[in-house]
Amino acid sequence: MEFRRLGRSGLTISEIAYGNWLTHGSQVEEDAAAACIRAALDAGITTFDTADVYAETRAEAVLGRALHGERREGLEIFTKVYFPTGPGRNDRGLGRKHIMESIDNSLRRLRTDYVDLYQAHRYDHSTPLEETMEAFADVVRSGKAHYIGVSEWTAEQLRAGHELARELRVPLISNQPQYSALWRVIEADVVPASQELGISQVVWSPLAQGVLTGKYTPGGAPPAGSRATDEKGGATFVAGWLRDEVLERVQRLQPLADQADLTVAQLSVAWVLQNPNVATAIMGASRPGQVAENVKAAGVRLDADLLKAVDDALDPVVERDPGLTAGHPGND
């Protein structure tokens, strides 16, 4: 495993992070989830990402039980707040009440006294940014989180949040966007702003919901047990990628992966990690073997010719519009 600094901070995290968005508490039974986490630890992964909303709060609890007994100082645990976690009007968003209640609930489920990174899961257009950042600052000062991060914020939102964080003297060090060789909407605006501000990317879906493994073929039925066949929600997220024009282009990555002695999935994760603004790529798993394979992308260096070949193979189907950032007004 290789490690990188997160933003302009002293926090070091693993290049591959383990995430449990669509798996723990829903798609994968707890014994299997625990086996995947053990495989992640055995592979040298120290960074674990979750959120209070995943599986209606169950994902945090599964992660907390699986990591219980591990040396806490040797782990970096990330979670998030924003989406609804209850029926009340204040059980959502980035208002002070929800943030202060949510951090306590997350810590209880995670069985820890603090998280290393507490993230705003989206930008809250209905709450003053000053209120949000002051609440996050209080979370840090109380010792319940070491650092602040955000997810899917635009370049303008990052600049505004970073300015307030600096005034409040708390470290805003990361953004968690979707990013892959197929989905590059952060490259035009978010990455340059982040580099200027000392913010790293903690990227999710580096395999484009599994499409960048090459297992989906044009005109073919989805493999049994794949995310496209998951009736618990996974199929919804991958559906947008299952177009023959996309799948045909992804198939062109196979000879490039062979050339680098990698699988298509490992090549795709390694591609993400070539971006110097990316600190870690979040990988989920439903089987321990997937973890062992994914971590082989850590430390891989792809030469310029291979990177250009990947770009040429995928170019017609790559999405680059920065207006598609999830936190952009109108995209929530």
Side-chain angles (χ1 to χ4, degrees), residues 2-303:
E2 298 286 330
F3 298 85
R4 300 184 181 189
R5 287 291 177 93
L6 185 58
R8 201 173 291 151
S9 80
L11 182 65
T12 302
I13 64 175
S14 51
E15 278 191 348
I16 306 294
Y18 185 89
N20 67 353
W21 169 31
L22 290 174
T23 50
H24 298 183
S26 54
Q27 188 184 69
V28 175
E29 297 300 326
E30 184 153 354
D31 286 349
C36 289
I37 291 171
R38 172 47 52 191
L41 292 165
D42 290 344
I45 291 174
T46 60
T47 305
F48 295 84
D49 179 83
T50 188
D52 56 5
V53 73
Y54 294 167
E56 299 176 334
T57 75
R58 294 189 300 276
E60 281 186 327
V62 171
L63 183 63
R65 286 191 289 270
L67 292 177
H68 187 64
E70 295 294 323
R71 180 175 175 270
R72 180 64 182 88
E73 294 84 353
L75 305 173
E76 305 88 47
I77 299 176
F78 302 172
T79 194
K80 312 181 194 74
V81 58
Y82 170 79
F83 288 108
T85 52
R89 292 186 296 274
N90 292 306
D91 291 330
R92 65 198 68 203
L94 297 179
R96 181 178 183 83
K97 177 177 171 62
H98 186 50
I99 289 174
M100 303 310 284
E101 292 171 348
S102 292
I103 185 62
D104 287 340
N105 289 331
S106 287
L107 295 179
R108 174 178 49 79
R109 289 187 290 264
L110 289 165
R111 299 189 177 192
T112 183
D113 295 329
Y114 67 94
V115 291
D116 297 275
L117 184 71
Y118 199 40
Q119 303 161 96
H121 209 158
R122 290 296 184 270
Y123 187 88
D124 187 351
H125 297 283
S126 65
T127 299
L129 184 57
E130 293 80 2
E131 177 181 340
T132 294
M133 297 309 296
E134 287 171 1
F136 274 123
D138 285 344
V139 169
V140 171
R141 292 189 185 113
S142 70
K144 296 176 181 179
H146 290 328
Y147 299 92
I148 299 169
V150 300
S151 177
E152 292 288 353
W153 283 27
T154 66
E156 293 77 12
Q157 292 161 357
L158 287 172
R159 291 184 191 280
H162 185 271
E163 181 177 358
L164 285 170
R166 185 173 56 185
E167 291 174 4
L168 291 162
R169 303 184 68 81
V170 291
L172 172 57
I173 61 172
S174 68
N175 178 50
Q176 187 173 134
Q178 181 180 182
Y179 185 53
S180 71
L182 287 170
W183 187 266
R184 307 187 193 180
V185 303
I186 64 171
E187 290 181 342
D189 298 331
V190 167
V191 167
S194 297
Q195 289 173 324
E196 174 190 336
L197 299 171
I199 290 172
S200 289
Q201 310 306 314
V202 175
V203 304
W204 61 274
S205 199
L207 294 178
Q209 303 297 317
V211 168
L212 284 169
T213 63
K215 64 186 173 185
Y216 300 104
T217 57
S226 66
R227 184 164 293 178
T229 64
D230 173 30
E231 297 179 356
K232 296 180 181 179
T236 302
F237 295 101
V238 72
W241 291 116
L242 298 181
R243 308 190 309 273
D244 282 353
E245 59 178 336
V246 173
L247 302 181
E248 189 277 327
R249 286 283 171 173
V250 171
Q251 292 301 306
R252 300 187 187 197
L253 297 180
Q254 186 63 63
L256 304 180
D258 292 341
Q259 173 187 329
D261 195 25
L262 300 168
T263 66
V264 173
Q266 290 161 359
L267 173 65
S268 300
V269 177
W271 182 93
V272 163
L273 292 172
Q274 303 312 293
N275 188 322
N277 192 228
V278 171
T280 187
I282 301 172
M283 305 296 300
S286 55
R287 301 183 305 278
Q290 292 174 321
V291 179
E293 286 301 307
N294 291 338
V295 298
K296 294 177 182 178
V300 171
R301 301 295 177 257
L302 305 178
D303 64 40

